[in-house]
């Protein structure tokens, strides 16, 4: 029987992985999207949109659809999805590979302030600046809503969900962004502190270079830990090799 691979998607890596798998003769690929983005780009293979109903629902779906392997290629901060995938695949006896791009690392000249959460980022801001470039996505902005004395520039792909800080200017944009673009934005809005999640990758890393060049402090929200005992691949070629390994094992 041809192998059936489920990709939990939503990232550039998920799109590339689907493209790399669908060219393999006989491989069936289904990419699952959470549905949070209104206009997702085209994907190779089959696509489903919406949740599974928790780990039990996902485990049942894996059994019903005769899935041979799952790749969690969601955002590094999609901790609930990753935890559910780990539980569901263990229950269904299906191999799991987690595709996670490497995180960012500070270099010479960076003024990074690592924090464990959005709430900790909000608590750190008053001592670092008053004009904030907030690039943590459209969800979770309630953590900053109480900072009434600060001004925010919020950038996200989709309109952010309230509550928002009272002094907020929203920019709707999708990366990748250049260093020149980010530098111009920081200067135009007179930003004196940047807040970001450690998403990794090149699509949104230019803001870090721009902040370094301008000498700005950066509050970096650390990634949530991954479940123990799972197979992790840092890029698409590595994920494809891991899939070859797990699909070759007898089940």
């Amino acid at each position: 029987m041809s192998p059936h691979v489920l990709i939990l998607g939503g990232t550039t890596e998920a799109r590339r992985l689907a493209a790399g798998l669908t060219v393999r003769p006989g491989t069936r690929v289904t990419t699952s999207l959470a549905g949070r983005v209104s206009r997702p780009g085209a994907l190779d293979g089959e696509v489903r949109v919406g949740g599974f109903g928790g780990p039990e629902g996902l485990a049942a779906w894996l059994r019903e659809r005769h899935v041979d392997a799952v790749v969690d290629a969601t955002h590094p901060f999609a901790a609930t999805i990753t935890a559910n995938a780990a539980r569901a695949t263990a229950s269904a006896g299906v191999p799991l590979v987690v595709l996670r791009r490497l995180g960012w690392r500070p270099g010479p000249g960076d003024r990074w302030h690592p924090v464990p959460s959005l709430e900790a980022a909000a608590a750190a801001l008053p001592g670092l600046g008053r004009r904030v470039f907030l690039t943590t996505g459209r969800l979770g902005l309630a953590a900053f809503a109480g900072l009434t004395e600060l001004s925010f520039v919020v950038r996200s792909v989709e309109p952010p969900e309230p509550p928002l800080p009272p002094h907020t200017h929203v920019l709707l944009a999708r990366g990748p962004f250049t260093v020149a673009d980010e530098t111009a934005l920081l200067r135009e809005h007179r930003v004196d502190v940047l807040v970001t999640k450690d998403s990794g990758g090149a699509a949104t890393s230019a803001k870090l270079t721009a902040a370094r060049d301008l000498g700005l402090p950066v509050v970096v929200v650390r990634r949530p830990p991954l479940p123990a005992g799972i197979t992790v691949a840092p890029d698409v070629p590595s994920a494809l090799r891991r899939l070859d390994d797990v699909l070759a094992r007898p089940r």
Side-chain angles (χ1 to χ4, degrees):
M1 182 181 294
S2 300
H4 183 192
V5 178
L6 172 67
I7 301 172
L8 304 178
T11 60
T12 301
E13 289 83 4
R15 189 179 310 280
R16 292 172 179 166
L17 181 66
L21 286 171
T22 53
V23 298
R24 297 183 172 191
T27 300
R28 179 185 173 192
V29 180
T30 302
T31 298
S32 176
L33 302 175
R36 290 176 178 167
V37 177
S38 59
R39 296 185 301 276
L43 282 162
D44 294 291
E46 302 172 33
V47 178
R48 71 174 302 278
V49 178
F52 291 93
E56 294 80 10
L58 175 55
W61 195 93
L62 298 177
R63 297 187 187 100
E64 293 166 2
R65 303 306 196 280
H66 305 289
V67 173
D68 297 284
V70 175
V71 181
D72 173 10
T74 56
H75 193 275
F77 283 80
T80 299
I81 297 176
T82 299
N84 287 349
R87 290 175 57 189
T89 51
S91 173
V94 175
L96 171 66
V97 176
V98 175
L99 172 53
R100 283 290 184 275
R101 67 184 78 130
L102 296 175
W104 294 316
R105 294 291 181 268
D110 282 320
R111 298 172 57 197
W112 285 18
H113 299 264
V115 295
S117 65
L118 292 175
E119 290 74 17
L125 281 177
L128 295 173
R130 298 184 62 83
R131 302 186 64 84
V132 184
F133 185 27
L134 187 56
T135 64
T136 55
R138 68 189 182 97
L139 304 176
L141 299 183
F144 304 89
L147 298 175
T148 58
E149 301 301 316
L150 306 185
S151 297
F152 290 83
V153 176
V154 172
R155 183 169 67 194
S156 63
V157 175
E158 302 274 337
E161 298 183 357
L164 306 176
H167 306 293
T168 297
H169 177 72
V170 176
L171 299 174
L172 298 182
R174 185 192 299 270
F177 306 101
T178 68
V179 174
D181 291 338
E182 301 290 56
T183 301
L185 186 153
L186 294 172
R187 285 175 170 161
E188 176 186 352
H189 294 278
R190 304 192 306 280
V191 169
D192 52 21
V193 58
L194 167 67
V195 181
T196 187
K197 291 178 176 178
D198 180 17
S199 300
T204 58
S205 64
K207 62 192 171 190
L208 300 173
T209 303
R212 180 194 312 133
D213 293 343
L214 295 174
L216 302 182
V218 181
V219 179
V220 181
V221 182
R222 293 191 293 264
R223 297 178 175 188
L226 290 169
I230 60 174
T231 299
V232 182
D235 52 40
V236 172
S238 298
L240 289 169
R241 290 194 294 270
R242 302 285 172 84
L243 277 175
D244 287 339
D245 290 342
V246 300
L247 290 174
R249 299 171 190 168
R251 290 183 56 192

